[in-house]
Amino acid sequence: AQTVTQSQPEMSVQEAETVTLSCTYDTSESDYYLFWYKQPPSRQMILVIRQEAYKQQNATENRFSVNFQKAAKSFSLKISDSQLGDAAMYFCAYRSHHGANSKLTFGKGITLSVRP
Amino acid sequence: DTGVSQNPRHKITKRGQNVTFRCDPISEHNRLYWYRQTLGQGPEFLTYFQNEAQLEKSRLLSDRFSAERPKGSFSTLEIQRTEQGDSAMYLCASSPSGIGVETQYFGPGTRLLVL
């Protein structure tokens, strides 16, 4: 079974600064997908960024980028130019490549606060 | 289309009562998922449907839980004889199926409190 670990329960960043959220995972599969989801307080979860394991290039979406280290099974999220609206819980998630097994396995999440 | 919707948003019930939640997925999505999220934790997978077929169920889904998706459209999740341990946020998500990454889009959730 796959597991996802987010060992930092909380992080804080100054507005306009850069912060990196860590995630490690364990799997015996070679093909899979990784995601970062954001869950603002009392609001629904939205996708921030995704990475296909077969792609060596790290995914980037505007101020959000990942550092995907397949051999180390590490998948960190970097948020540049942090904004007050980035304050939320962030979840790292894993999905198998196999179509019949499409559930997401989530980490425990990290609470990010942004200081003005 | 405004995304995945869930009703009710909040439910308070007494232990032993039955509750039913509804999820309406994004209209063109044929996959629908249910997750449970307790406070301070990540969502845990419960079950998922492709069209009307329930393809996978987690061991978390005890025999008090049942999910349906008649006609492959909306889905319901029923909990019978609720227990205090059932208190959680119940999340629904939907996605298309096909080749490539099928992003799951989440609804706002139904927060259940069992007294």
Side-chain angles (χ1 to χ4, degrees):
Chain A
Q2 294 81 26
T3 58
V4 177
T5 302
Q6 294 179 256
S7 56
Q8 307 156 302
E10 297 179 352
M11 286 199 74
S12 180
V13 63
Q14 189 77 33
E15 193 176 7
E17 297 295 308
T18 295
V19 65
T20 298
L21 311 182
S22 301
C23 172
T24 58
Y25 58 94
D26 190 28
T27 183
S28 58
E29 299 177 330
S30 58
D31 289 335
Y32 48 87
Y33 307 101
L34 297 165
F35 305 84
W36 279 98
Y37 277 88
K38 170 185 178 182
Q39 189 176 41
S42 301
R43 294 178 61 187
Q44 65 200 76
M45 195 170 307
I46 58 173
L47 178 69
V48 175
I49 198 166
R50 66 188 187 198
Q51 173 82 41
E52 292 92 326
Y54 66 85
K55 290 186 177 179
Q56 292 187 341
Q57 186 173 7
N58 289 324
T60 299
E61 288 286 343
N62 300 314
R63 299 183 295 108
F64 299 88
S65 61
V66 299
N67 183 3
F68 173 49
Q69 301 289 328
K70 191 172 184 179
K73 297 180 181 175
S74 170
F75 183 61
S76 61
L77 174 69
K78 185 171 81 171
I79 306 174
S80 303
D81 185 26
S82 296
Q83 301 175 0
L84 295 178
D86 294 333
M89 276 203 82
Y90 287 81
F91 294 96
C92 179
Y94 171 103
R95 178 193 178 281
S96 172
H97 174 75
H98 301 292
N101 185 7
S102 62
K103 66 184 178 188
L104 291 172
T105 300
F106 287 87
K108 289 187 176 181
I110 178 170
T111 300
L112 177 67
S113 59
V114 181
R115 304 186 302 274
Chain B
D1 192 298
T2 56
V4 179
S5 62
Q6 293 186 245
N7 287 288
R9 296 290 307 277
H10 303 272
K11 180 70 177 178
I12 300 174
T13 191
K14 293 182 179 179
R15 189 177 53 185
Q17 297 295 305
N18 299 344
V19 294
T20 300
F21 310 141
R22 176 178 170 128
C23 171
D24 288 89
I26 294 171
S27 58
E28 63 268 25
H29 288 180
N30 57 1
R31 287 188 175 177
L32 186 148
Y33 307 80
W34 286 99
Y35 294 86
R36 181 171 68 186
Q37 185 179 20
T38 54
L39 198 63
Q41 301 294 315
E44 295 175 293
F45 171 77
L46 292 178
T47 188
Y48 99 93
F49 294 83
Q50 178 149 327
N51 299 312
E52 66 276 9
Q54 189 173 16
L55 296 187
E56 187 176 352
K57 292 196 295 185
S58 163
R59 284 173 290 180
L60 291 175
L61 212 65
S62 76
D63 56 7
R64 296 186 297 106
F65 288 70
S66 63
E68 295 182 342
R69 193 184 182 196
K71 303 179 183 178
S73 55
F74 71 91
S75 175
T76 58
L77 177 68
E78 181 184 17
I79 310 175
Q80 296 181 328
R81 305 181 303 281
T82 53
E83 302 173 354
Q84 288 184 326
D86 297 331
S87 296
M89 175 77 86
Y90 290 84
L91 297 170
C92 177
S94 70
S95 76
S97 64
I99 298 173
V101 181
E102 303 96 15
T103 297
Q104 293 185 23
Y105 297 85
F106 283 81
T110 295
R111 185 172 294 282
L112 173 66
L113 178 61
V114 182
L115 301 177

